[in-house]
Amino acid sequence: MMTTEPIIESGLTFGPFPAGHCFYIEKSKTYQQIKEGVKVAEFLLLRPSPQGGETNKIWVVEAKSSAPKPSNHDHFEKYIEEIRAKLTNSLTLAMTACLKRHRQADAELSDDFKQLNLASIQFVLVLVIGNFPEAYLPPLQDALAKVLHPTIKTWALGTPAVLVLNEDRARQQKLII
């Protein structure tokens, strides 16, 4: 489901984004048909290259209102695994949608997504946590990058492949208003 409307998730307001640039994957018919046992992130955001070349990026964005401290080991690992699954499932669903493996996806995707050069697109896996202290971002980013390492390698993702942002950093990236 493409949208230009702001997306409200986990107490954060994302967007609005340009027409054809935001695929609200969590609310899409494509996802609704496969969702049993499959968790996905909130949305995919097409971020065109500022130079107008073929190095467009798709940000796969998951939003959370909080995160556990690494010292709470069991809860922290479970949290990281949930985020990993959502981001990798969303990356895979994005590609299968662009490859027309899901019939309904063709009707849901914008021309901007349909016309992407899939060989040159870069993906960035993004976790945004509202009201989260800056000091806690690096350990969370490191843990997420570690569990996503196989995905980063097999998909040959560029740099940065993983971003963990709090509300302030998300605002700087023009993800939230």
Side-chain angles (χ1 to χ4, degrees), residues 19 31 61 74 80 94 116-117 133 146-147 160:
Y31 174 62
V61 180
D74 290 340
I80 292 293
L116 289 171
N117 177 349
K146 184 177 179 181
V147 298

Side-chain angles (χ1 to χ4, degrees), residues 70-90:
S71 59
N72 187 346
H73 188 70
D74 290 340
H75 190 59
F76 185 76
E77 282 190 2
K78 185 178 177 183
Y79 179 90
I80 292 293
E81 175 53 28
E82 176 190 341
I83 303 303
R84 183 209 60 78
K86 286 182 171 189
L87 293 172
T88 56
N89 290 343
S90 298

Side-chain angles (χ1 to χ4, degrees), residues 47-57 122:
R47 302 202 91 170
S49 168
Q51 294 81 21
E54 287 197 7
T55 55
N56 293 316
K57 294 180 182 180
Q122 293 181 8

